[in-house]
Amino acid sequence: MAIDFSALVLGPTQSVFGRAVVITPTMSQPGAEAYSARGIYSNPAVEVPTEMGFATSRQPMLGIRLSDFNTAPAIGDRVTIDAVAYLVHDRQDDGQGGSDLILRRA
């Protein structure tokens, strides 16, 4: 018996922690209008190797539930969160119905 992780975990989690975003699908759906969606925004610290050792930087990302989208966002799409524009730099599907969109400021 398969467990529907997306319905049991991701859906309720998005309902509680998700925030409104606007996605402009320039690469996933060229010519399509921007649309509203929900995702869980995070901005964790990451260590970046340098010649002198390591530096700390931030890596903004948006966790999404793939079943919430007819066409999932793709690399190059624009995501606006609280009036700050980002581009999707990478997309990392988790194999259980979710995906992390790795963002870069536009």
Side-chain angles (χ1 to χ4, degrees):
M1 176 164 140
I3 296 174
D4 187 349
F5 189 81
S6 179
L8 293 174
V9 177
L10 296 179
T13 302
Q14 284 287 359
S15 294
V16 173
F17 299 107
R19 59 198 298 181
V21 301
V22 175
I23 300 191
T24 306
T26 53
M27 299 304 287
S28 61
Q29 301 175 69
E33 296 287 322
Y35 59 90
S36 297
R38 291 184 66 76
I40 298 174
Y41 176 77
S42 62
N43 195 13
V46 294
E47 286 189 345
V48 179
T50 67
E51 291 180 12
M52 302 294 287
F54 289 92
T56 301
S57 183
R58 292 285 177 177
Q59 178 58 71
M61 64 177 65
L62 185 71
I64 62 169
R65 182 178 177 211
L66 293 171
S67 64
D68 290 343
F69 298 86
N70 290 327
T71 302
I75 294 170
D77 284 353
R78 182 178 294 265
V79 177
T80 304
I81 305 168
D82 296 334
V84 178
Y86 298 92
L87 290 176
V88 177
H89 177 72
D90 193 14
R91 186 177 119 191
Q92 299 174 352
D93 296 350
D94 67 11
Q96 298 191 15
S99 185
D100 285 329
L101 303 179
I102 309 303
L103 306 173
R104 297 276 193 266
R105 296 254 334 228

